[in-house]
Amino acid sequence: MNTDSRTAGRGVERGWVISLLSGAIDWAAFASHLLARTAERLRADAAELFLRDLQDGDLVLEAVHKLDASRAGFLRFKRGEGVTGSALEHPGGLVIADRKKHPAARHPENFSATPLPSMMVVWLGENEGTTGMLVLYREGVGSFKDADLAEANLAAKQLEVMLDFGAVVSSFTPHQAVRHIENQRDARNFRGKMVAPGQCLGTLSIHRHESAADILEHERMASRADAADTALFDRALARARVELSHDRAELRRLIPEAAVMLFDAHEMMLQDDQFAAKIRRAIGSGMGVAQAIGETAAEYIHLFESSQHESVREKARDIEDLALRLLDNLPDDARSADFERGRILVARELRPSEIVRIARASVGGVVLCSGGATAHIALLLKSLGIPAMIARSADVMQLADGLPALLNATDGLLLVNPADDVKNVFLQRADKISSPPEPLPAGGVFTRDGARVTTLANVNLLSEVRPILDLRADGIGLYRTEIAYLVRDNFPSENELAELYKNFLGSTRSIPVTVRTLDAGSDKFIDYLHSTREDNPALGLRSIRLTLRHPEILRHQIRALLRAAAGRDNVKLMFPMVSSLDEFRAAKSIYEKCRLEIEDETSLPCGFKIGMMVELPAAAELAPAFAREADFFSIGTNDFIQYMLAIDRSNAGVMEYYTPHAPSVLRALKRVASAARDAGIDCSVCGEMGHDPLFIPFFLGIGIRTLSVEVASLSTVHRVASSVTIPECEAYANALLAANTINETQTLLRDFSSQ
Ligand code: PEP
Ligand code: MG
């Protein structure tokens, strides 16, 4: 073990770390122990440790010393709330000699629980903002003084190093907390934000190339001595074309949804005679080839960047990428980066063309600097399963090439030069992680008393289908079709969609599949579709409203799916966010027209069962009427909660109001389930409540027998469902449904979880 002498006490804590590692104590005990030691050292009579919530930046109580522990995990302060929240404005810390006299100390939650008179609050973490707070209270040995701050800050620093160390080696994954790690003598650690989940151990490969814009500017200003030779350019152009078509084919194999999006603009520009002719003219006037490429690209970039439309401005990045591809294909160009198998690539930014090379080389992980990951790049890295994070500090670029490092992208942590014991723990854990999760039982999932629970998976990408088959899920309960629209700059054509769906359905080996039509808008913003940002996009032109406003979009999608599904009987179709029967009928009538057309065109009978997502209070209210016209219901609880409670599902600032256990939500869910049962149609749940161990029994208790969850949660459904009986679930659901307040349902959930 690395007993770094700068972190005093680490040697002493070794026993605790080992206990944590071996599982003899848990994270909470470890954190409480460290807090107690820190409090003793600072002669505090009581203490609290707060860590910041990654989502909303609130300070959440993590551990206490000699105070009421039941508030841990629940007590939270926003910036400016109470002394703890106010301390966010004071990097050096805050001392309050007599809390009774201090206005900020009158936060009722805090004061009633800790009536000690003197208080001191110091930050955990410094340069990049605090990652938590150490709060100390005194009664007996005299009030805290400003002079105590220096020692407290030092102790907080050491506490933080130990906490981080513990977080890394324990099985605790600190999703809720951002923890900053101090640079150590031989080890440096960087915090960041996850782009794509996963972890890897490897050596760093620092991609220190200038940004694309800098390279082009450089070429433009200082021409290489290369000849003004159009033949050179023509050769580069021809090579770039071949390369592009290879990259595209590769991408089609790796991420079919993105294949069209990535190099569309590149291909267009390469076909664009004006672009090439302009470069040739510049060469003809005596300019070096590289300079002519840089010069022409700069003109186009300027043109695109001055557009009012974001989607056109984004095209400027494509031109940069394409110009670099041309430059790369000039003789003697040494700019191409070497991406190597298993290495952790650290780069300021990544260009789309580099993504394919990264995938081809099986790079182990990616660390980007902030601003270096566009939404598209993030999505691609995720789809490729390459762990990636955005580092908060650009200092990562200063690291030496070849250093050993551990990237835990899921928790936003890069450990450079990790100690041997940390590496060993990682490897042991990686073994566990990489060993595939247990497949579901071959005969299906059953409750203890023998009720069959149909366990389906939600899918966004084609690449997710394979694991679903391997895990023996009963089918796909929700295929979100947005990705093909989101990763592009313009509409996919009917043919492109048909090809994508054919690929998708082909890969499902005929397990049941429910496809949802385009659910664009709100959090799934598609810029070429939405010409203006709406003030309230969640209440605006989204989902089925949008596609009914532009029926061609719906027609293309449905026709493409009908064509792709010809000869299959495993496909169902559903419409999202249906708010009225009128809307549902309008969508069904478009479907019916498409069905007749395709039947006519192919001379084959075709058609799907047609269902709807129940995501709105309006749909719950009218559920019995809908159940007479829909073949099935799928409850999208993510939106259902949002609209029932008028709470923005993606606004971290109001997350505490996003309460799935609100009695109104639970009772409305029950009404929907009953309406489906009375009409004899299937009703499943495909929102995130469906994989919550506290709600799975509730759903079973209200008669729902089909849950569709993310692949990673299939085993949770199995574990929970197979541990309960239906009468137990019914009793639990009834108790929840009888409660009138969120507090009561919260208590019932808590009691259930502690059973
Ligand atoms: C839902 O709203 O619960 C749902 C499954 O749809 P999405 O999350 O894609 O909006
Ligand atoms: Mg939804």
Side-chain angles (χ1 to χ4, degrees), residues 516 519 524 542 613 615 639 649:
R516 176 177 79 183
D519 182 25
K524 298 161 201 135
R542 69 165 286 203
M613 297 214 33
E615 300 183 280
D639 277 315
R649 66 190 255 191

Side-chain angles (χ1 to χ4, degrees), residues 12 55 69 130 146 308 336 344 364 479 492 496 509 588 599 617 619 641 680 697 752:
V12 182
Q55 300 283 337
T130 176
D146 283 346
Q308 290 176 342
S336 284
I344 299 171
Y479 173 38
E496 284 164 351
R509 285 198 221 130
K588 273 205 339 186
E599 221 166 55
I641 299 164
F752 185 83

Side-chain angles (χ1 to χ4, degrees), residues 234-439:
D234 286 339
R235 267 202 299 280
L237 186 65
R239 282 204 209 117
R241 281 193 177 133
V242 173
E243 209 178 75
L244 194 62
S245 89
H246 282 163
D247 282 0
R248 236 180 149 150
E250 185 89 358
L251 200 64
R252 192 174 292 275
R253 189 177 64 75
L254 293 167
I255 321 171
E257 292 92 336
V260 211
M261 149 245 165
L262 262 193
F263 302 123
D264 238 14
H266 298 206
E267 203 148 277
M268 264 166 50
M269 292 306 292
L270 284 183
Q271 309 297 349
D272 177 6
D273 288 341
Q274 281 188 23
F275 180 65
K278 219 172 171 79
I279 298 174
R280 282 197 200 95
R281 271 202 303 281
I283 299 169
S285 72
M287 217 181 256
V289 181
Q291 190 182 9
I293 294 172
E295 206 51 73
T296 310
E299 264 178 55
Y300 274 77
I301 289 168
H302 176 72
L303 206 69
F304 285 127
E305 277 180 343
S306 47
S307 165
Q308 290 176 342
H309 300 284
E310 199 174 320
S311 55
V312 178
R313 284 200 301 277
E314 276 185 4
K315 288 258 188 301
R317 304 287 79 76
D318 287 319
I319 303 294
E320 274 176 9
D321 199 12
L322 176 65
L324 292 190
R325 195 188 276 277
L326 287 169
L327 290 172
D328 282 351
N329 278 293
L330 290 176
D332 306 326
D333 194 288
R335 196 171 10 250
S336 284
D338 283 330
F339 299 127
E340 287 177 44
R341 186 178 192 82
R343 293 190 73 174
I344 299 171
L345 177 73
V346 181
R348 211 164 260 126
E349 61 178 17
L350 278 182
R351 300 195 302 274
S353 60
E354 289 172 322
I355 286 286
V356 182
R357 281 158 50 208
I358 283 176
R360 206 179 274 149
S362 304
V363 163
V366 170
V367 177
L368 296 171
C369 292
S370 78
T374 60
H376 287 173
I377 295 289
L379 197 75
L380 293 172
L381 287 167
K382 218 166 165 176
S383 324
L384 290 165
I386 299 175
M389 77 170 207
I390 300 178
R392 280 208 238 141
S393 159
D395 287 356
V396 273
M397 292 304 297
Q398 307 313 323
L399 290 166
D401 219 54
L403 286 176
L406 200 166
L407 171 65
N408 176 353
T410 312
D411 295 330
L413 184 65
L414 175 73
L415 303 179
V416 183
N417 269 331
D420 284 348
D421 43 6
V422 172
K423 263 196 279 186
N424 290 340
V425 172
F426 169 80
L427 289 172
Q428 281 161 15
R429 235 188 285 145
D431 262 0
K432 270 195 224 145
I433 292 168
S434 60
S435 57
E438 278 286 293

Side-chain angles (χ1 to χ4, degrees), residues 40-60:
E40 279 160 22
R41 174 176 160 189
L42 297 168
R43 296 175 309 287
D45 294 313
E48 291 168 325
L49 168 69
F50 286 84
L51 293 175
R52 289 192 87 176
D53 189 315
L54 254 186
Q55 300 283 337
D56 53 19
D58 285 0
L59 289 161
V60 183

Side-chain angles (χ1 to χ4, degrees), residues 580-654:
S580 67
L581 268 174
D582 315 62
E583 225 169 39
F584 187 56
R585 287 178 189 166
K588 273 205 339 186
S589 115
I590 291 179
Y591 155 78
E592 187 52 24
K593 277 203 194 94
C594 294
R595 194 186 68 77
L596 292 173
E597 283 167 16
I598 299 294
E599 221 166 55
D600 206 36
E601 286 165 29
T602 60
S603 310
L604 288 170
C606 63
F608 311 125
K609 284 199 163 168
I610 303 293
M612 58 179 272
M613 297 214 33
V614 178
E615 300 183 280
L616 302 178
E621 190 60 36
L622 229 55
F626 277 118
R628 284 193 289 274
E629 301 196 18
D631 292 326
F632 61 93
F633 284 167
S634 178
I635 309 179
T637 53
N638 306 341
D639 277 315
F640 195 72
I641 299 164
Q642 155 161 281
Y643 293 114
M644 278 297 297
L645 301 177
I647 191 73
D648 183 348
R649 66 190 255 191
S650 43
N651 179 350
V654 286

